Amino acid sequence: PTPFTSTTGTTTYYVGQTNNGCPSPRVPVTVVVQPKPALGADKIVRICYGGTADLTNLYNTSTLSNNTWLHNLLPVNDPSSVNQEGLYYLIGSNTAGCSDTAIVNLIMLPPVIANAGPDADAEYNYPYQLQGSGGSEYLWTPGRPLLNNQSIPNPLATLTETTTFVLTVKNELGCSDTDTVTLRVLRGPTFYVPTAFTPNGDGLN
């Protein structure tokens, strides 16, 4: 007979033989089914570019007598701070020697690159549209009252003096990057004459 092993506990089986119609004494065979640890389902973990992941808080290993993390078939020295993409295997066993395995797929997202647009000239007290890109969530500072909406990629800036804006962008995981743009306010109806160009070398244009 094959013992039923999906239920833990102790079961006693008896075995005997018959020879020419004469039965032998029965001999007891005790089978103990030990509980198997259940770590849980496999998981996918995403981290920001250049970041690290803590694998130790993904599964409850407090009831295990031994647990080991493997990556590329090699032991992981510090599972609380890993940054290499790929599959990580957690092998846990209890005092009875029964074990279970869980797999974590670690994915590193591409870097977030904020782009606040090039520096530009804006007319005095007249709306100028900023051009931001690089993420799914945006925050411009300073915000109101200089901007009509500081949480969109392309807000309108109404300025009375030259201002530098800082754009912070985030992706869906919260990974972020920043960029700056300076709007120089020109007061009309005057002319702006750049001083970088001086034909005769006297420092004046």
Side-chain angles (χ1 to χ4, degrees):
T2 302
F4 189 65
T5 60
S6 62
T7 303
T8 61
T10 301
T11 304
T12 300
Y13 297 85
Y14 296 89
V15 60
Q17 67 177 3
T18 301
N19 188 12
N20 294 325
C22 299
S24 71
R26 295 191 306 165
V27 177
V29 177
T30 301
V31 176
V32 179
V33 179
Q34 301 284 0
K36 179 181 179 179
L39 293 174
D42 299 339
K43 298 182 179 182
I44 298 176
V45 175
R46 294 177 173 87
I47 60 175
C48 298
Y49 182 84
T52 60
D54 184 0
L55 303 179
T56 60
N57 59 6
L58 297 178
Y59 296 97
N60 181 15
T61 59
S62 60
T63 59
L64 301 176
S65 61
N66 184 47
N67 65 89
T68 302
W69 283 96
L70 300 177
H71 179 61
N72 292 332
L73 302 180
L74 298 175
V76 178
N77 293 328
D78 185 10
S80 66
S81 179
V82 296
N83 58 7
Q84 295 185 33
E85 286 189 298
L87 299 179
Y88 289 80
Y89 294 83
L90 172 61
I91 303 175
S93 59
N94 57 20
T95 55
C98 304
S99 63
D100 189 25
T101 301
I103 302 175
V104 175
N105 185 10
L106 182 64
I107 299 174
M108 182 175 292
L109 298 180
V112 177
I113 301 176
N115 184 5
D119 295 345
D121 296 331
E123 185 177 344
Y124 177 85
N125 207 30
Y126 189 83
Y128 178 92
Q129 189 168 43
L130 293 166
Q131 301 291 334
S133 62
S136 57
E137 182 179 335
Y138 296 83
L139 179 64
W140 294 88
T141 54
R144 293 181 181 275
L146 301 182
L147 300 180
N148 66 328
N149 188 339
Q150 67 183 116
S151 301
I152 60 176
N154 304 319
L156 293 176
T158 304
L159 307 176
T160 57
E161 61 182 4
T162 298
T163 304
T164 297
F165 291 95
V166 179
L167 172 62
T168 301
V169 301
K170 295 181 179 180
N171 62 12
E172 65 279 2
L173 194 63
C175 311
S176 64
D177 188 36
T178 60
D179 191 25
T180 61
V181 61
T182 298
L183 296 183
R184 180 176 49 190
V185 174
L186 303 181
R187 293 175 177 265
T190 61
F191 292 97
Y192 168 71
V193 181
T195 59
F197 177 72
T198 169
N200 60 0
D202 65 353
L204 300 175
N205 185 357

